[in-house]
Amino acid sequence: MDLSIVIPFLNEEDSLQELVERIYTHVRPLNLQFELIFIDDGSTDDSINRLLESKKKHPEIKIVRFRKNFGKSTALSEGFDRARGEIVITMDADLQDDPAEIPNLLKKLDEGYDLVSGWKKKRHDPITKTVPSKLFNFTTRLLTGIKIHDFNCGLKAYRKEVIRAIPIYGELHRYLPVLAHWQGFRVGEIPVKHHARKFGHTKFGARRFLSGFFDLITVLFITRYKHKPMHLFGLFGLINMFFGALILVVLAIQWFQGEPLSRRPLLFLGILLVIVGVQSFSLGLIGDMLTSSKDTRPKFAVKEVIE
């Protein structure tokens, strides 16, 4: 199998059939053996029936249905597990991602990249999405050092070895370029066309933005300190113990000089810093012993697989 196209969706009944036809229009001329893997993330509308109608015409379509909504990361993870192609492309099902960009993504991969991310340079979204997205992308670039303009773009191309090396959960699908970069893969980016939403409404909300921020902290930790937690917790612990011990030594000298220690808030601060430092240092030691822990991806139930 040359190419797998993984498309998670939730209640996109009006756009799925048009999306399928657009994909075939731009992928068939490439003369590649390909498959379309649709992940139904708990849709409650008529999406599945629309896809089944398209499958009668296009046998390359495969459908995985979840019993409930588990989120985009889980849907992508399931799609990656089932993808057989040497190259895997992901895109959203709302027609905002343009299938005409698929050949461009493949060409960029041929330049030696392992992951190519789309950049929605000119977005057709309301300000309630564009402003938080710009803030999110700026923060991620600043904290990770990865020079990508659009981490949120669903249109990406991966070599198979990339998706096999990176487990995703929570909202970590946003940070796949970061995780791939820290694994040593070569990451690139190209500008892609972005269309205004024709049907339905966006699934993006404030809760997802907040979840993405928490997962950014997770990404920073697992990319820099997953295999050396003592470097983080141990350093924090040593700093606290140093200042705590320094305060206690100064107070001890003053006590020997006849100054009373009662009503001295510094005494309690020094004791607190030492305790917190010891706890942080101990946490680093425990973390070092757990660095070979099992896969943390949550388990979920697949309702149906249609091939």
Side-chain angles (χ1 to χ4, degrees), residues 31 62 81 106 224 243 266 277 294:
N31 295 319
K62 299 179 181 179
D81 287 343
L106 297 177
R224 298 182 181 181
F243 284 105
L266 275 178
K294 296 181 180 179

Side-chain angles (χ1 to χ4, degrees), residues 3-71:
L3 177 66
S4 297
I5 302 176
V6 176
I7 307 171
F9 68 92
L10 173 64
N11 295 333
E12 298 288 357
E13 60 181 356
D14 295 319
S15 62
L16 288 172
Q17 290 180 316
E18 182 178 346
L19 175 63
V20 169
E21 296 305 320
R22 287 189 186 182
I23 291 174
Y24 272 83
T25 297
H26 296 286
V27 174
R28 267 181 175 161
L30 301 176
N31 295 319
L32 299 175
Q33 186 179 5
F34 68 96
E35 62 181 355
L36 272 65
I37 304 176
F38 285 89
I39 312 296
D40 181 1
D41 192 18
S43 294
T44 56
D45 62 0
D46 200 38
S47 294
I48 184 63
N49 291 324
R50 302 291 178 89
L51 269 182
L52 289 174
E53 291 176 9
S54 293
K55 182 173 173 58
K56 294 176 183 178
K57 181 180 177 181
H58 304 295
E60 295 87 355
I61 293 177
K62 299 179 181 179
I63 307 168
V64 178
R65 299 182 66 193
F66 287 169
R67 293 187 179 275
K68 56 171 285 187
N69 176 242
F70 287 99

Side-chain angles (χ1 to χ4, degrees), residues 125-184:
D125 282 323
I127 193 172
T128 53
K129 285 189 65 176
T130 56
V131 172
S133 181
K134 287 181 179 180
L135 176 61
F136 166 83
N137 287 316
F138 172 78
T139 304
T140 304
R141 282 197 303 271
L142 182 65
L143 295 179
T144 65
I146 311 299
K147 305 303 180 182
I148 286 182
H149 296 85
D150 191 356
F151 292 89
N152 279 316
C153 184
L155 194 56
K156 292 182 173 67
Y158 311 79
R159 297 192 184 278
K160 178 186 285 188
E161 52 265 33
V162 176
I163 64 173
R164 294 291 181 261
I166 304 175
I168 55 175
Y169 54 91
E171 295 288 328
L172 293 189
H173 63 275
R174 305 170 185 272
Y175 305 106
L176 285 173
V178 179
L179 296 171
H181 175 80
W182 282 92
Q183 288 275 359

